[in-house]
Amino acid sequence: MIDVLVVDDDFRVAEINAMYVGKVPGFRVTARAHSAAQALAAVERTPVDLVLLDHYLPDRTGLELVHHMRERGHGTDVIMITATGDVATVQAAMRLGALHYLVKPFTFTALRTRLDSYAALRRTVERVGGRGVAGQEQVDRIFGALRTTPAASSPGLPTGHSEPTTDLICGVLHRAGQPLSAHEVALRTGLSRSTAQRYLRRLEQVGRLRLSLKYGDTGRPEHRYAWVAP
């Protein structure tokens, strides 16, 4: 298994990214951090293979964290996941050895493409590494393992719906272990009740949730939604 540290100052975004990682075979999230200090402490406490790193953190930037990690001897691989798309930051990330740079917002498919190429890189290095010295062909194979093709947008989502929000709601219901109302989902996700209701109806229509009715004293039933295991 490839151990991953997810770093993002937004708790909900970190949850979504961790959920994405958990859906990719061969990867597991072993820790989450919401600041550079927490991330460094996590790396020093339990070494990880890969850091999915946001750039804007409350105490320092992601690139400053990478530089500090390198100074302290941590060669942990890094994939940047950030809304920062300016060329200077991208170049700085490359110089510090970031293997990929994914700009928010992105789809699960886009992240999985990068993770799959990273896994391919590790397999290639392991195969070539057994020979001691790599020739040009082996070096080209190592660099080629990181090449990716543009990921297509996730199909099937109606206008006004996003994949991260869909996954956030699904994650809440999956962990709940019991049916939840739109109001309860809104509280647990930080979304408005109307937004939660809109997504819940769509997920129920496509068979990812099961709808049940709970009758109270008012006579008007409460709609409750439960996760349907695939």
Side-chain angles (χ1 to χ4, degrees), residues 26-104:
F27 289 81
R28 64 184 175 191
V29 174
T30 58
R32 303 180 196 182
H34 308 292
S35 68
Q38 290 179 2
L40 184 61
V43 170
E44 295 189 332
R45 181 173 59 251
T46 305
V48 296
D49 302 304
L50 176 66
V51 178
L52 299 186
L53 181 60
D54 189 17
H55 182 58
Y56 287 121
L57 300 172
D59 45 354
R60 65 172 65 187
T61 68
L63 293 185
E64 289 172 341
L65 171 61
V66 176
H67 182 70
H68 192 49
M69 287 170 54
R70 300 298 183 246
E71 286 184 332
R72 297 175 73 92
H74 298 294
T76 310
D77 294 322
V78 174
I79 293 179
M80 299 295 297
I81 298 182
T82 175
T84 308
D86 64 277
V87 176
T89 303
V90 175
Q91 289 180 319
M94 293 174 63
R95 294 189 184 105
L96 286 171
L99 298 179
H100 282 298
Y101 195 107
L102 192 57
V103 180
K104 299 176 183 177

Side-chain angles (χ1 to χ4, degrees), residues 31 69 81 89 102 108 121 134 153 157 198 206 208:
M69 287 170 54
I81 298 182
T89 303
L102 192 57
F108 166 67
L121 170 66
S153 299
L157 288 178
R198 178 160 49 88
V206 299
R208 295 179 67 178

